Amino acid sequence: MKKSAIKVKTGRIYLYILPFIIMFAVAYIIPLCVAIGISFTNWRGGKNIKFIGIDNYMKLFQDQGFWISFLNNLKFMVLMLIFQLGFAFLFALFVQSKRVKLKGFHRRAIFLPSVLSSFVVALIWQIVYNKNFGLISAVAEKIGLEDKVPLWLDDPKIVINSLAIVLIWQFVGQYVIILMAGLQNVDQSLMEAAMMDGANTFQSTLHITLPLMKPTLIVCITLCISGCMKLFDTIYALTGGGPGSSSMVTAMYAYNQAFKLKQFGYASAVSIGMIILSLILVLASRKILNRKEEV
Amino acid sequence: MRSVKETVLTILANILALLITFTCIFPLIWLLYNSVKDKYQFMKDTISLPTNPQWGNYAKAIKLGNLIPATFNTLFNVVITVVLVSVASVIVAYFLARYNFKGKKVVSAIFLIGMLIPLYALLVPMFLQYKMLGMTNTRFVLILPYFAMQVPLGIFLCESFIQDIPREIEEAAVIDGCGLSQIIFKIIFPLSKPMISTVAILTLLASWNEFAFATVLSSDSKFRTLSVAIQSYSSGREMEYTLFLAALVMVSIPIILIYFIFSKQIINGMTAGAVKG
């Protein structure tokens, strides 16, 4: 780093930044420490609070409910990686091609749902999915398929898919814009040269565009993975984790332990477990993906 | 002949693209025109356009959901958070970008934590902390969480922006007799304006939209925000769907307007943030 314009004493620097560090710590770091502390107790919100060692963590380890929730996070992750990224990639390729006009319009329109509140979006979809007067039922009725409409949010077998559709609809635009930005950097003359040599569009996409897009795709994959650990609003608004625990995710599980069952000690342990699992997942995926890139 | 084929292909491709995009945003259009239907038409046929627009749905929805105090509470949180995050981001980013000081690594590590931890893992811990302090359901309870949620991204965006500001400007200012605070407030702030606007808009969107922390920390009807007010809608008595739709439209319209005005900043900021996060 080059030298700064003026010499400033360390103390003076902290005079400026310490207030913000304290604010951040009070909101973020201290609750984390408090939660770690409480996770070793049996606190249920009242006056009784007893230190119980690592009992909560032993329980967490064997708690099927927690692991089912985590597995659901992973299920969402797989669905999102395949369908959200897949659609985003195809759409970005398509819109970025020479033939399609109004690129800016498409980009803006498809990104629009991403800026809306995911809670509000979930409520919109609650009505879209409604059996009696929802948008999908109404369309199905018009084309005579009303018997084929599934119970989107009440069938444990498909509820995760139904929720994934909502999430894909809302956030696909984020991936489209990232991928479109990446595609702009791919040298078009390489594609043209390959076409001259007799490659078709599919071949040149597979052998030229895809390898060149690798860094951008890695960004999208890590974003998608960390996004799936953050799932809460959509689930809370649409199913609350049900029916049964078929769409339960870890954040929702921690919420239920705390606010439905008042097991604050255990809920803290669940939160800490969730942080650890998500850090492992995010860091591991970064490591694996970045190593592949070097090869 | 070839050019005819090309033209046809181009037209087809564009029709397809428009069709896809239209399908993607149709639920929003559908929401919009259903919000002014009377309830009988809505129950009978949700696809057709409203025959007898009920603009009164909006006034009823505002009254029923108590949306005016909720709007005030939301704006209160949004404005304070936006100001705090913008100021903090520039100041912290400036020192991280320009100076080597003791503990600098710790400082950036602290803020990096904010980008790595899944936000909702903090829902229970934050609730417990504020409950112990007796601060849930107070006017200011959401400010700190919202600040902490957005400031890491703000710092990151500003840090790379400030790094690109030429040092010569500051050096010239020092020669002219500027002190540290003048450099920050009279030089760095004005020069960082484009990035500050991006950070401010992203913060505005996030704090306007936020739901989970609002419902956990401040569900009291006196301090509740718009998202929480919307939630109590669906749990209230016999719900009138058209009014509910009108309420959803009203909560989203300001965000959509801001999006169309500032889409460049929003898209740039979100992309850069995603690349980092």
Side-chain angles (χ1 to χ4, degrees):
Chain A
M1 179 180 295
K2 274 196 289 175
K3 265 210 180 140
S4 44
I6 46 172
K7 261 195 138 30
V8 180
K9 283 203 182 111
T10 307
R12 189 121 186 261
I13 292 178
Y14 278 103
L15 207 62
Y16 279 93
I17 62 175
L18 203 58
F20 302 123
I21 296 177
I22 292 173
M23 281 167 65
F24 184 75
V26 170
Y28 234 87
I29 314 285
I30 296 177
L32 216 62
C33 301
V34 172
I36 292 175
I38 291 176
S39 72
F40 293 107
T41 72
N42 65 350
W43 195 41
R44 300 188 62 124
K47 287 218 167 92
N48 292 328
I49 182 161
K50 206 175 96 196
F51 180 76
I52 54 166
I54 58 166
D55 282 10
N56 280 331
Y57 289 97
M58 295 301 282
K59 185 176 161 196
L60 184 68
F61 223 69
Q62 293 160 355
D63 183 357
Q64 272 210 343
F66 174 74
W67 292 104
I68 288 175
S69 317
F70 182 60
L71 199 67
N72 284 338
N73 279 105
L74 296 180
K75 280 185 195 162
F76 275 112
M77 204 172 287
V78 173
L79 285 173
M80 305 298 247
L81 281 173
I82 297 173
F83 294 103
Q84 180 157 263
L85 266 183
F87 175 78
F89 190 68
L90 292 178
F91 189 76
L93 268 180
F94 180 51
V95 172
Q96 201 65 292
S97 72
K98 256 188 253 158
R99 276 189 222 287
V100 178
K101 306 281 185 291
L102 300 171
K103 293 188 201 323
F105 165 76
H106 289 297
R107 206 163 65 137
R108 266 181 218 193
I110 206 153
F111 187 65
L112 173 61
S114 305
V115 299
L116 296 176
S117 145
S118 45
F119 182 64
V120 168
V121 165
L123 294 177
I124 295 174
W125 276 83
Q126 195 177 46
I127 303 168
V128 170
Y129 276 150
N130 188 295
K131 197 169 172 11
N132 299 321
F133 45 80
L135 174 59
I136 297 176
S137 294
V139 174
E141 206 175 309
K142 285 252 151 57
I143 51 176
L145 285 174
E146 62 259 50
D147 305 331
K148 295 266 163 56
V149 179
L151 290 165
W152 298 105
L153 300 169
D154 295 319
D155 181 349
K157 284 199 206 79
I158 61 159
V159 63
I160 287 195
N161 300 341
S162 310
L163 289 166
I165 291 174
V166 178
L167 291 162
I168 291 171
W169 179 78
Q170 181 169 17
F171 294 114
V172 72
Q174 225 172 330
Y175 299 92
V176 171
I177 56 165
I178 296 173
L179 289 167
M180 276 176 83
L183 282 171
Q184 259 162 12
N185 297 330
V186 172
D187 192 351
Q188 284 299 312
S189 61
L190 282 175
M191 285 283 269
E192 276 156 25
M195 302 280 231
M196 296 272 242
D197 289 346
N200 59 32
T201 318
F202 176 72
Q203 284 170 326
S204 51
T205 304
L206 191 68
H207 295 294
I208 296 172
T209 314
L210 213 52
L212 286 172
M213 286 290 285
K214 219 170 187 175
T216 317
L217 282 170
I218 288 174
V219 166
C220 291
I221 292 170
T222 33
L223 178 66
C224 195
I225 290 174
S226 58
C228 285
M229 290 308 292
K230 286 185 193 145
L231 290 177
F232 180 78
D233 287 7
T234 312
I235 318 279
Y236 179 98
L238 285 174
T239 65
S245 58
S246 51
S247 64
M248 189 63 77
V249 290
T250 43
M252 190 74 223
Y253 191 70
Y255 176 92
N256 282 347
Q257 292 296 327
F259 299 104
K260 289 227 171 99
L261 305 172
K262 304 276 174 216
Q263 304 209 5
F264 293 125
Y266 187 56
S268 302
V270 172
S271 300
I272 302 297
M274 177 186 164
I275 291 174
I276 294 170
L277 286 175
S278 135
L279 283 182
I280 292 175
L281 216 60
V282 170
L283 296 177
S285 65
R286 278 192 195 179
K287 196 142 212 180
I288 292 166
L289 291 165
N290 287 331
R291 191 178 57 206
K292 269 197 189 139
E293 192 190 9
E294 281 160 25
V295 173
Chain B
M1 236 6 237
R2 190 174 165 76
S3 74
V4 173
K5 192 182 152 204
E6 281 293 305
T7 322
V8 172
L9 273 177
T10 304
I11 291 172
L12 283 179
N14 277 294
I15 290 174
L16 182 64
L18 286 171
L19 215 62
I20 295 173
T21 303
F22 181 71
T23 315
C24 284
I25 53 170
F26 187 69
L28 294 178
I29 300 167
W30 180 78
L31 171 76
L32 199 63
Y33 71 70
N34 270 295
S35 69
V36 291
K37 278 184 185 167
D38 62 63
K39 59 181 168 189
Y40 304 107
Q41 199 202 347
F42 176 73
M43 288 299 179
K44 222 170 67 196
D45 186 358
T46 51
I47 294 198
S48 63
L49 291 169
T51 43
N52 179 20
Q54 301 286 315
W55 302 104
N57 281 357
Y58 281 80
K60 277 190 215 155
I62 291 174
K63 219 173 132 211
L64 191 72
N66 248 331
L67 295 186
I68 289 174
T71 308
F72 171 76
N73 292 337
T74 305
L75 281 175
F76 179 85
N77 289 331
V78 167
V79 170
I80 296 184
T81 310
V82 165
V83 171
L84 278 176
V85 169
S86 309
V87 173
S89 300
V90 175
I91 291 177
V92 176
Y94 170 69
F95 287 108
L96 288 178
R98 284 289 201 261
Y99 296 89
N100 272 321
F101 56 94
K102 235 187 209 151
K104 179 177 163 177
K105 282 208 173 119
V106 180
V107 172
S108 43
I110 287 175
F111 288 111
L112 189 69
I113 290 176
M115 298 188 93
L116 280 177
I117 290 179
L119 194 58
Y120 296 118
L122 286 167
L123 203 55
V124 177
M126 253 188 225
F127 171 75
L128 295 178
Q129 172 179 302
Y130 286 116
K131 188 179 151 76
M132 285 169 162
L133 295 171
M135 275 174 63
T136 49
N137 291 317
T138 53
R139 163 119 359 251
F140 291 94
V141 68
L142 288 172
I143 304 282
L144 274 188
Y146 287 2
F147 168 80
M149 235 173 256
Q150 289 301 308
V151 82
L153 175 65
I155 292 175
F156 158 70
L157 290 174
C158 290
E159 191 183 339
S160 45
F161 188 85
I162 291 172
Q163 265 160 3
D164 293 339
I165 296 176
R167 269 154 227 275
E168 288 74 22
I169 300 177
E170 281 157 80
E171 278 155 17
V174 172
I175 292 167
D176 287 347
C178 277
L180 181 61
S181 64
Q182 279 171 311
I183 291 181
I184 294 177
F185 292 106
K186 294 221 168 115
I187 297 182
I188 299 298
F189 265 93
L191 286 173
S192 310
K193 240 187 215 155
M195 196 39 92
I196 296 176
S197 66
T198 298
V199 170
I201 293 160
L202 291 183
T203 307
L204 185 159
L205 293 180
S207 40
W208 179 282
N209 286 339
E210 207 286 322
F211 164 72
F213 288 90
T215 186
V216 165
L217 297 176
S218 135
S219 54
D220 190 281
S221 64
K222 217 161 112 199
F223 302 116
R224 70 180 181 200
T225 62
L226 276 173
S227 349
V228 183
I230 291 282
Q231 179 197 23
S232 60
Y233 241 91
S234 42
S235 54
R237 308 148 264 145
E238 190 66 2
M239 175 162 72
E240 234 181 272
Y241 275 96
T242 48
L243 301 189
F244 185 51
L245 293 175
L248 289 177
V249 171
M250 279 187 283
V251 177
S252 311
I253 286 284
I255 294 296
I256 294 175
L257 286 180
I258 287 172
Y259 174 63
F260 280 116
I261 300 169
F262 298 105
S263 56
K264 205 177 128 212
Q265 282 95 327
I266 294 172
I267 289 179
N268 288 346
M270 280 206 173
T271 318
V275 171
K276 171 80 176 185

